[in-house]
Each structure stands twice: as structure tokens, then as C-alpha cells.
Amino acid sequence: EVQLVESGGGLVQPGGSLRLSCAASGFTFRSYGMNWVRQAPGKGLEWVSGIYSGGVVTKYADSVKGRFTISRDNAKNTLYLQMTSLKPEDTAVYYCAKSPDAYYNERMYDYRGQGTQVTVSS
């Protein structure tokens, strides 16, 4: 059974930082691309960032480029999202999402975790 468990969310002031983690199990983590997506209150799902299975190739949404960094540790079956210079508009539930192949995917995921809340507010 595929499981994706996010952690690391919380309340942070504007300009602050958070590091999200996603522990993966139930599949061969190193073989699949992974993504972070988010959903703000009252809005649809937004793709944030993705990473190829090998961890070298990454991509970011324009809204987070230069502030967020995606990475993965295939030995630990864990996906990360380092978030810096956080803004109130980054407030959302953040999900890790598995691609159906070795690449990141901005639109299609076959599994998604339960999410972790990130709130940016003073």
C-alpha cells in the first residue's frame, strides 16, 4: 500500500522559513518523480514543485521560484521542501504527490498524502 505522510507544517511569520518532509512507503521511491502541491482556502489545487526520480532535475512554479527548494533522499525514502521568505499567500495545505513515472508532473499524480497545514501570518 502506497503511503505518503507529510510533516513540518505550522504557523510562521512572514519572511520566515519552514522545512516540509514527506515519508514515502509502499513503492520503490527512487524510481518515481515526486511533487509538492498546495491548496489554499477556497482555491483549487496548485502545483508547487517537482523533482525527477534521480533528484537532479527540478522545477518550480513561478510563485515560489527562488524561495522554495525541493529535494529528496532516496536512501531514506523522503521528499523535502525547504521554504524561505514565506508570504501570507503561501498559506495552504501542502501535499506531496507521486508521479506515475520517473519525472515530475504538474497535472497528474497517482497518489497524494493527507497534507500538512502551513500558515503564514503575523
Side-chain angles (χ1 to χ4, degrees):
E1 178 190 6
V2 172
Q3 287 196 322
L4 300 169
V5 180
E6 301 93 339
S7 61
L11 173 64
V12 62
Q13 292 187 339
S17 299
L18 279 175
R19 188 196 197 200
L20 306 184
S21 299
C22 171
S25 62
F27 65 103
T28 307
F29 181 73
R30 65 180 180 273
S31 297
Y32 290 91
M34 295 294 296
N35 309 274
W36 287 99
V37 299
R38 67 186 181 185
Q39 188 164 26
K43 296 189 176 181
L45 209 57
E46 176 191 14
W47 180 85
V48 173
S49 182
I51 187 168
Y52 278 16
S53 60
V56 175
V57 180
T58 60
K59 189 177 180 181
Y60 300 90
D62 287 344
S63 58
V64 306
K65 199 173 295 182
R67 300 188 298 120
F68 290 10
T69 303
I70 190 171
S71 62
R72 63 191 295 162
D73 186 335
N74 285 344
K76 295 183 178 180
N77 289 352
T78 304
L79 178 73
Y80 302 101
L81 186 68
Q82 179 68 50
M83 305 186 294
T84 63
S85 302
L86 283 161
K87 305 175 181 179
E89 51 263 44
D90 294 318
T91 294
V93 177
Y94 284 72
Y95 302 90
C96 66
K98 175 185 170 292
S99 293
D101 53 27
Y103 314 105
Y104 55 71
N105 197 308
E106 296 180 45
R107 296 177 185 82
M108 187 166 56
Y109 330 108
D110 50 11
Y111 293 93
R112 192 176 66 177
Q114 85 291 344
T116 186
Q117 176 70 47
V118 172
T119 302
V120 184
S121 174
S122 55

